[in-house]
Amino acid sequence: MLIDFRKVLELTEGPLKILHIGAGRKQNMGTYGDAKVTWVEANPDIPGVFHGCVSDQTGSDVVLNITDNEVSSSILTMGTHTSRYPHVKVQRTIPMKTITIRDLSPRSYNFLNLDIQGAEMLALKGAGSDICFFDYVYTRFYQEQTYIGAPTLEETDTFLGTFGFHRKITQISEYNWGDAFYVREKCGIIWFGTPHHGVRKSLHVLAEKTNVPFRQVSSVADADSIPGRQVILSFAGPFPNNHKGKVLVSGPNFHAVDYPGHNIVYNCLSSWNKKIIDHLPHYTTVAIQFPIDYDTIAPDPNIPRTKVIFYAKNRPPALIEKVLNVLVKKYGNDLIYFNYNSRYDYNHWLSTLKTAKFCVLLDGSESQGFAVQEIMSTNVPLVVFDCPSWTELYPYDRDIDKYRAYTQDFSSTSVTLWDEKCGIKTTLETFEQDLGKMEKDYLSYAPRDIILRELDCWKIIREYEKVYDEYGVK
């Protein structure tokens, strides 16, 4: 390690739980003092360490180049290393299967040290958003291609910066490689009010799947009294016009026109909804989703998919009846109908999703509603009748007149998170043709992928942290 570790310790808080990848023969053992350390090393000949070849994917086949000095061993090919250190030679090679940082229980640690001879960026990418479990990252960089594909300081800054890490200390050697130390600037989440039951569950999911502190309080004043970087989520109004504390993110409710105020950011949940609120005066808006528990709500490969689901919500009864008649005639007892306004047993809903080939969705203007998330998280593709206008709500929404005074009509959607892997957008004219296509191709769709990508819990937390960085009181 090039950096004096005493300088690193000055920037840390609390006891360190260190994951050291590239342990060698634990040359740095004396550096860490009494800290808890897990030593990970790829070279199977080195005793007293956890053996694992860390890269960007689990189970990939790679070759570990073992050098005569051991410390230069790498899964990458030497570049300028051969001219900088001509006395170091590759002695032999060993075929390896890779693992990732995600396979090493990252939430058990708060400090990551990477020294794996040019493969540091591969390891970081393999961590994905789980890199946010670490408060501190100490890693090597290369300002020339010491190993082919080794990361530069700029590349490392960019990648870690995406997850809220800021470089605090840098030390470079005479051979143009160096070490950098990063600290993650995170936020706590405070909430008050009475959120929708689905939002309440989502808050618990976010707290459970990350190490971010979540606190419930009774008022804005209580929230402002908590020190440090905090984002307040408010599910109650009226909001104080003179709020001067942490960032207050209000919503999701159609009441933004009632409560403009200082340091208030309105969460619109979706991009089309944000268009509406952006036309209102004196508002700062964001679009941040509330995720479901996508690990629990998941497909079961052992359950046959034989059913077709029809899910209807907040659309004209005549339209629902037309679609239902087509489906009953075509699928008979294999059709299972759920209507949001009639309510239904939640456990029955989740178990039915696991049996569905696909779902026909006739929903209102949603911001990726929880039922839609649950359908997609179970990897059930959709045949969607989009809601063409945000004003086409049934029953009639009490707030529409307020918004019409400020904004024009916008097209909306029932499924905000969408790509070609999710299913088919349909109309009454093409419905039966689209059903035929879905029956044939339903196994080719993968809507769960977009849920895992876009509603990753750390990704949601990072959105709140970005709100604080942009709008918080400095």
Side-chain angles (χ1 to χ4, degrees):
M1 294 171 67
L2 290 180
I3 298 172
D4 185 339
F5 203 68
R6 290 170 296 183
K7 294 181 179 179
V8 170
L9 290 176
E10 291 173 1
L11 297 174
T12 65
E13 296 180 3
L16 296 181
K17 293 170 286 185
I18 300 171
L19 180 62
H20 187 121
I21 299 175
R25 294 187 179 270
K26 298 193 284 191
Q27 296 92 327
N28 299 117
M29 181 181 290
T31 303
Y32 294 138
D34 296 330
K36 171 193 170 185
V37 185
T38 296
W39 302 91
V40 180
E41 170 59 41
N43 189 340
D45 296 335
I46 294 178
V49 296
F50 176 86
H51 290 117
C53 183
V54 180
S55 187
D56 60 339
Q57 295 182 26
T58 297
S60 293
D61 292 309
V62 297
V63 172
L64 178 64
N65 302 296
I66 305 290
T67 57
D68 47 16
N69 69 345
E70 289 188 341
V71 297
S72 298
S73 302
S74 177
I75 62 172
L76 299 185
T77 302
M78 287 184 181
T80 60
H81 193 291
T82 56
S83 57
R84 291 283 194 179
Y85 307 94
H87 58 285
V88 177
K89 306 293 183 184
V90 174
Q91 201 171 52
R92 61 195 175 97
T93 60
I94 303 176
M96 307 287 289
K97 288 282 189 183
T98 59
I99 62 173
T100 69
I101 288 174
R102 288 190 169 191
D103 299 318
L104 296 169
S105 302
R107 72 180 306 146
S108 302
Y109 307 94
N110 61 3
F111 191 109
L112 174 65
N113 191 333
L114 288 171
D115 183 5
I116 47 178
Q117 308 307 307
E120 289 81 4
M121 183 58 70
L122 291 174
L124 290 171
K125 289 181 176 178
S129 62
D130 281 2
I131 196 70
C132 294
F133 281 117
F134 299 100
D135 297 325
Y136 314 103
V137 172
Y138 186 110
T139 188
R140 187 142 290 182
F141 65 89
Y142 307 81
Q143 294 306 85
E144 61 184 56
Q145 288 290 284
T146 311
Y147 296 87
I148 304 302
T152 65
L153 181 61
E154 293 76 14
E155 289 168 339
T156 307
D157 284 351
T158 298
F159 181 85
L160 287 174
T162 301
F163 298 100
F165 286 90
H166 298 267
R167 178 160 48 92
K168 300 296 184 180
I169 310 176
T170 313
Q171 184 75 43
I172 192 163
S173 74
E174 60 182 301
Y175 298 106
N176 227 14
W177 55 264
D179 289 353
F181 176 63
Y182 298 81
V183 177
R184 196 172 109 73
E185 295 187 359
K186 56 188 179 183
C187 287
I189 306 292
I190 305 167
W191 64 277
F192 72 94
T194 307
H196 176 280
H197 66 89
V199 174
R200 183 184 291 268
K201 285 199 296 185
S202 182
L203 294 175
H204 288 298
V205 168
L206 286 167
E208 187 179 283
K209 294 186 183 299
T210 69
N211 60 3
V212 172
F214 275 70
R215 300 177 179 90
Q216 183 180 6
V217 297
S218 58
S219 69
V220 174
D222 290 340
D224 279 342
S225 68
I226 297 175
R229 290 165 51 94
Q230 306 289 341
V231 172
I232 305 168
L233 305 184
S234 171
F235 304 101
F239 312 127
N241 285 336
N242 60 349
H243 171 60
K244 298 290 186 181
K246 322 300 190 292
V247 174
L248 179 65
V249 180
S250 66
N253 296 296
F254 273 163
H255 305 300
V257 292
D258 295 330
Y259 308 121
H262 302 291
N263 253 61
I264 294 177
V265 177
Y266 190 76
N267 185 12
C268 307
L269 296 187
S270 68
S271 56
W272 70 263
N273 198 355
K274 190 175 185 299
K275 284 182 182 179
I276 300 169
I277 312 300
D278 281 345
H279 279 66
L280 302 178
H282 314 305
Y283 279 91
T284 301
T285 62
V286 292
I288 304 174
Q289 298 275 352
F290 287 98
I292 60 168
D293 186 351
Y294 39 73
D295 290 331
T296 300
I297 302 173
D300 186 337
N302 298 314
I303 297 177
R305 290 182 175 266
T306 59
K307 302 298 183 181
V308 173
I309 292 175
F310 177 37
Y311 182 89
K313 175 183 176 182
N314 290 355
R315 296 292 281 275
L319 179 58
I320 294 173
E321 187 176 0
K322 277 185 182 180
V323 174
L324 182 59
N325 287 340
V326 172
L327 294 172
V328 169
K329 182 178 178 181
K330 191 171 184 65
Y331 299 109
N333 292 334
D334 286 333
L335 176 70
I336 304 176
Y337 175 40
F338 292 90
N339 191 306
Y340 174 85
N341 297 307
S342 300
R343 304 303 176 184
Y344 48 82
D345 181 80
Y346 183 65
N347 291 326
H348 174 56
W349 162 250
L350 293 183
S351 62
T352 301
L353 286 175
K354 296 179 188 294
T355 70
K357 293 189 290 186
F358 60 90
C359 175
V360 176
L361 185 71
L362 185 56
D363 199 350
S365 51
E366 289 274 15
S367 299
Q368 204 74 13
F370 291 115
V372 177
Q373 287 190 41
E374 289 157 358
I375 296 166
M376 296 172 69
S377 187
T378 318
N379 214 34
V380 176
L382 292 161
V383 179
V384 179
F385 287 87
D386 252 341
C387 192
S389 166
W390 69 271
T391 62
E392 186 184 313
L393 297 172
Y394 186 92
Y396 188 81
D397 189 279
R398 63 186 179 279
D399 290 317
I400 284 181
D401 282 342
K402 295 179 184 178
Y403 286 87
R404 281 185 171 139
Y406 291 100
T407 186
Q408 64 193 59
D409 192 8
F410 283 107
S411 62
S412 63
T413 181
S414 308
V415 188
T416 303
L417 300 178
W418 182 268
D419 62 24
E420 67 280 356
K421 295 169 67 176
C422 297
I424 301 171
K425 295 290 185 81
T426 191
T427 64
L428 282 176
E429 291 72 28
T430 64
F431 183 39
E432 294 198 51
Q433 177 183 339
D434 291 332
L435 283 177
K437 185 177 188 308
M438 180 57 74
E439 287 173 12
K440 179 183 175 185
D441 298 333
Y442 72 92
L443 289 175
S444 68
Y445 295 98
R448 181 171 168 82
D449 289 355
I450 198 171
I451 295 294
L452 296 180
R453 183 176 72 246
E454 297 299 327
L455 296 182
D456 174 88
C457 286
W458 274 117
K459 181 173 182 176
I460 303 300
I461 293 296
R462 282 294 298 135
E463 291 300 317
Y464 286 120
E465 290 174 344
K466 290 174 187 175
V467 169
Y468 184 92
D469 290 339
E470 186 166 356
Y471 303 109
V473 176
K474 302 297 188 286

